[in-house]
Amino acid sequence: MKPKFKRITAGLTAVLLIVLVFLFANSVVGNPISKFLATKDIKQYLATTYPGNDYKIDDVSFNFKFHEYNGTIISPSSKDSTFTITWRDSNNIYDTYDFNVLQRENTIQRYEKEASEQISSLLNSIPGNDIKKVNVVIAKEYYETGASRSLVLDSPYDKSTNIPLELTISCNDSATLEKFTTLLEQIHTLTSSNGYHINYYSIDHYEEDDLTLTLSANNITPKEIEGGHLLSLLKNSINETLSNDNEGAYDDRSLYVFSKE
């Protein structure tokens, strides 16, 4: 092969590699030109769609999975008014304002965090408790009624509003149904006497080394705890198939106990 031809081949190979690297980078992190266009269009969309507000673009990032740019919109005067404007091209722009702001998803997530912190602090008063983590979510029934739209943006979580909650407890040490029963009874007594409206309780334990679920009890109602037969209910529910209604629909509200053993 002649030296000149070798140089041409090497040059073409280098150009091809550069093009391939550019295409790969463009698919993963986007490119300055498209980001400029996306930012420009997002800014215009924000001004046109939501005039008279103090919303501003906090960040514009590229989503390589969907090949789109997402603009994070914030309000200096409202922590619950954050939402996203998505840009795929100049003719395909949409936002999450209805979900995040009007449906109060931001407010709900903040309420859940604040309620988790409050209840976690409360449960610390249980002597020798084995609680590793407390997680609170607002009951799905609350969403289904559309009641969340009446929540006041930026207001602190207030248990006196009686928003229905679901409480999940994760335990540290080796767990048994006997320990679960005692702990659930103590937790329910504390939460109910302190004004928290818990619709369902769940409790679980995972192996520390590989996070394998060893034991869990799910969807326990206050009535089941107060009935005085919780331990027998849990034992009778070990690894049972979750019940179906008459039409065969999955009932995700049934009491269910999983045991690895």
Side-chain angles (χ1 to χ4, degrees):
M1 185 180 292
K2 296 182 180 180
K4 183 176 180 180
F5 183 75
K6 287 183 177 180
R7 289 195 297 270
I8 293 174
T9 302
L12 291 174
T13 302
V15 171
L16 178 61
L17 287 173
I18 291 172
V19 170
L20 291 175
V21 169
F22 174 80
L23 291 175
F24 175 76
N26 183 65
S27 67
V28 175
V29 298
N31 65 75
I33 296 176
S34 59
K35 183 173 183 178
F36 171 80
L37 293 174
T39 302
K40 176 176 175 293
D41 286 345
I42 289 172
K43 185 176 181 180
Q44 180 61 42
Y45 177 94
L46 182 63
T48 302
T49 310
Y50 304 105
N53 292 288
D54 62 353
Y55 299 139
K56 66 179 183 178
I57 300 173
D58 183 57
D59 179 59
V60 175
S61 59
F62 182 70
N63 185 327
F64 73 91
K65 183 177 181 179
F66 298 106
H67 296 280
E68 62 191 19
Y69 285 89
N70 293 317
T72 301
I73 310 303
I74 62 172
S75 166
S77 63
S78 173
K79 58 187 173 184
D80 287 348
S81 294
T82 297
F83 61 100
T84 300
I85 298 177
T86 297
W87 182 97
R88 291 187 172 175
D89 57 56
S90 295
N91 297 312
N92 192 357
I93 307 175
Y94 57 93
D95 67 64
T96 63
Y97 181 82
D98 182 80
F99 176 68
N100 286 119
V101 182
L102 295 184
Q103 295 183 42
R104 301 297 194 263
E105 179 62 22
N106 295 337
T107 306
I108 287 170
Q109 289 185 13
R110 183 172 51 76
Y111 274 16
E112 291 174 342
K113 180 180 179 182
E114 293 175 5
S116 296
E117 292 171 349
Q118 290 180 22
I119 293 178
S120 179
S121 178
L122 177 66
L123 299 187
N124 284 335
S125 64
I126 298 177
N129 78 73
D130 187 35
I131 298 172
K132 179 180 181 180
K133 183 180 178 182
V134 173
N135 184 58
V136 174
V137 297
I138 291 178
K140 72 172 187 178
E141 292 83 359
Y142 193 74
Y143 292 91
E144 293 172 349
T145 62
S148 60
R149 287 180 177 267
S150 65
L151 297 176
V152 179
L153 290 173
D154 307 312
S155 61
Y157 168 72
D158 183 357
K159 63 184 179 182
S160 68
T161 57
N162 287 325
I163 296 174
L165 306 174
E166 298 178 17
L167 173 61
T168 299
I169 301 295
S170 294
C171 297
N172 276 310
D173 299 328
S174 58
T176 64
L177 291 181
E178 287 77 9
K179 288 182 179 180
F180 276 9
T181 298
T182 299
L183 188 55
L184 283 167
E185 290 172 344
Q186 292 173 316
I187 290 171
H188 176 58
T189 297
L190 266 177
T191 54
S192 59
S193 64
N194 281 273
Y196 291 97
H197 185 186
I198 311 293
N199 276 14
Y200 293 96
Y201 295 85
S202 294
I203 187 168
D204 59 46
H205 173 265
Y206 289 81
E207 292 288 1
E208 189 68 30
D209 53 352
D210 60 1
L211 298 180
T212 299
L213 178 64
T214 61
L215 186 64
S216 69
N218 309 282
N219 304 323
I220 304 161
T221 65
K223 184 178 180 180
E224 288 167 333
I225 296 175
E226 296 165 358
H229 305 288
L230 179 59
L231 180 57
S232 61
L233 283 174
L234 297 182
K235 287 182 176 180
N236 291 333
S237 301
I238 294 178
N239 296 340
E240 285 188 351
T241 302
L242 292 175
S243 65
N244 293 338
D245 62 21
N246 293 333
E247 297 179 356
Y250 176 68
D251 179 8
D252 64 351
R253 287 311 191 193
S254 298
L255 169 62
Y256 177 71
V257 176
F258 168 82
S259 177
K260 182 182 176 183
E261 298 180 354

